[in-house]
């Protein structure tokens, strides 16, 4: 089933309705509606201060909205911490990655969720099982590290992204939020990260990409949501719009545009 069919026949995996967030006297988000379907890649774009980071921090449980509702697979949820979001299959891969540089790939992938087995009745680390599972997860992303035992701090930016994504896959995440995933990466490393996103989509995962690089956005997303001054001013299918139009929406030259398709009401 393609994304267009899913939009008509299925409930979004994520739906945010009327989200508002105020910091002091500054309105960061104003009645924002945002939704994502299974197997859909959504680009979230906008200028600095548009509200992108605030929106994803609400979805990932870092902030709580002042008003509005969040639904996961049609069920209303209240995230009070990032752990709540993780438990509902929402994984955020931040630009800074939050990996332990002195640990190797296997240790980072299983950090806090190590596999164990019993030896003479005593629980010990299942190092063989973790190595096998780590290899499998990285293979799903079509990447092969020269060694799983090299400290992560010595790996390239693209390889570090792969480890962070593999960790989320291991915890059975369904929705991946990627914050500026290609920022500061060389061309070859950026290509790897874009391929990671496409591989996640092939596996039915949903991905939200926050990026200033519109060339990368147009290469991999199904739909683009534009925020400006805390409001959604564009919700458009990527195949029905060009980069110039998105730039006009971001800068305010074009007031508003929406062709994103059906938004079902929450039940």
């Amino acid at each position: 089933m393609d994304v267009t069919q899913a939009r008509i026949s299925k409930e979004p995996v994520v739906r945010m309705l009327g989200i508002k967030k105020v910091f002091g006297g500054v309105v960061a988000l104003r009645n924002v509606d945002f939704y994502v379907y299974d197997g859909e890649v959504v680009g979230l774009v906008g200028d600095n201060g548009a509200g992108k980071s605030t929106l994803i921090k609400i979805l990932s449980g870092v902030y709580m909205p002042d008003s509005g509702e969040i639904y996961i697979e049609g069920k209303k949820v209240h995230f009070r911490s990032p752990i709540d979001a993780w438990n509902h299959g929402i994984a955020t891969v931040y630009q800074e990655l939050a990996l332990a540089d002195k640990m190797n790939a296997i240790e980072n992938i299983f950090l806090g969720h190590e596999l164990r087995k019993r030896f003479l009745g005593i629980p010990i680390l299942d190092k063989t099982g973790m190595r096998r599972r780590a290899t499998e997860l990285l293979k799903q992303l079509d990447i092969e590290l020269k060694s799983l035992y090299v400290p992560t701090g010595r790996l390239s930016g693209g390889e570090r992204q792969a480890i962070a994504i593999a960790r989320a896959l291991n915890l059975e995440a369904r929705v991946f939020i990627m914050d500026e995933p290609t920022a500061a990466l060389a061309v070859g490393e950026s290509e790897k990260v874009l391929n990671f996103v496409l591989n996640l989509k092939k596996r039915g995962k949903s991905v939200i990409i926050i990026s200033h690089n519109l060339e990368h956005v147009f290469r991999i997303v199904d739909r683009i949501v534009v925020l400006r001054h805390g409001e959604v001013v564009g919700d458009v299918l990527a195949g029905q719009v060009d980069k110039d139009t998105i730039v006009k929406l971001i800068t305010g030259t074009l007031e508003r545009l929406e062709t994103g398709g059906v938004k079902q009401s929450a039940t």
Side-chain angles (χ1 to χ4, degrees):
M1 178 180 291
D2 64 23
V3 171
T4 302
Q5 291 173 315
R7 181 172 292 113
I8 295 170
S9 64
K10 295 181 68 176
E11 176 73 22
V13 62
V14 169
R15 182 194 300 280
M16 306 175 77
L17 296 175
I19 301 297
K20 182 178 180 180
K21 185 65 179 178
V22 178
F23 296 99
V26 178
V27 179
L29 295 173
R30 190 190 313 270
N31 297 321
V32 169
D33 292 348
F34 181 77
Y35 61 101
V36 184
Y37 287 88
D38 272 331
E40 185 180 35
V41 181
V42 177
L44 182 61
V45 303
D47 212 343
N48 292 333
K52 306 184 302 297
S53 294
T54 301
L55 185 64
I56 66 166
K57 285 180 178 178
I58 289 173
L59 181 57
S60 59
V62 177
Y63 296 153
M64 286 186 286
D66 295 320
S67 61
E69 300 173 337
I70 302 175
Y71 294 83
I72 303 297
E73 295 184 312
K75 297 179 180 179
K76 190 174 181 179
V77 297
H78 298 277
F79 295 158
R80 292 179 172 82
S81 72
I83 293 176
D84 287 345
W86 268 103
N87 290 337
H88 283 84
I90 310 294
T92 304
V93 181
Y94 288 108
Q95 187 176 352
E96 56 269 22
L97 295 179
L99 297 176
D101 286 347
K102 294 183 179 181
M103 293 184 173
N104 62 39
I106 299 172
E107 291 167 334
N108 267 291
I109 289 171
F110 289 93
L111 186 61
H113 300 273
E114 292 81 3
L115 300 182
R116 300 184 183 277
K117 62 182 180 180
R118 289 192 171 273
F119 180 73
L120 299 177
I122 301 172
I124 61 173
L125 289 177
D126 185 359
K127 295 183 178 180
T128 300
M130 288 191 290
R131 184 185 70 244
R132 185 183 302 115
R133 175 63 174 161
T135 301
E136 175 189 327
L137 290 167
L138 291 169
K139 185 177 181 181
Q140 290 179 24
L141 297 172
D142 196 24
I143 188 168
E144 184 175 348
L145 300 179
K146 291 181 179 179
S147 172
L148 292 172
Y149 299 99
V150 174
T152 305
R154 291 168 52 187
L155 299 178
S156 69
E159 290 170 332
R160 288 166 58 83
Q161 289 274 4
I163 292 170
I165 296 170
R167 180 166 64 188
L169 278 173
N170 186 52
L171 296 177
E172 300 183 349
R174 290 188 57 189
V175 179
F176 291 74
I177 303 171
M178 301 185 69
D179 184 14
E180 297 288 353
T182 60
L185 294 184
V187 174
E189 292 295 292
S190 294
E191 289 295 320
K192 287 181 183 178
V193 173
L194 297 180
N195 287 331
F196 297 160
V197 174
L198 295 176
N199 284 333
L200 289 172
K201 177 181 176 180
K202 288 178 183 177
R203 298 183 177 279
K205 306 295 184 180
S206 304
V207 185
I208 302 167
I209 297 287
I210 298 89
S211 179
H212 286 89
N213 191 320
L214 292 182
E215 180 181 348
H216 289 170
V217 168
F218 270 88
R219 284 180 55 187
I220 60 174
V221 307
D222 300 297
R223 185 163 49 87
I224 301 173
V225 175
V226 184
L227 285 176
R228 187 174 70 240
H229 302 314
E231 296 184 87
V232 174
V233 295
D235 186 344
V236 296
L237 298 175
Q240 297 180 1
V241 72
D242 58 25
K243 284 185 283 188
D244 287 343
T245 301
I246 295 299
V247 170
K248 289 177 181 177
L249 285 168
I250 291 172
T251 60
T253 306
L254 179 62
E255 182 63 26
R256 191 174 296 271
L257 180 65
E258 184 172 332
T259 64
V262 177
K263 291 186 182 180
Q264 304 166 5
S265 61
T267 56

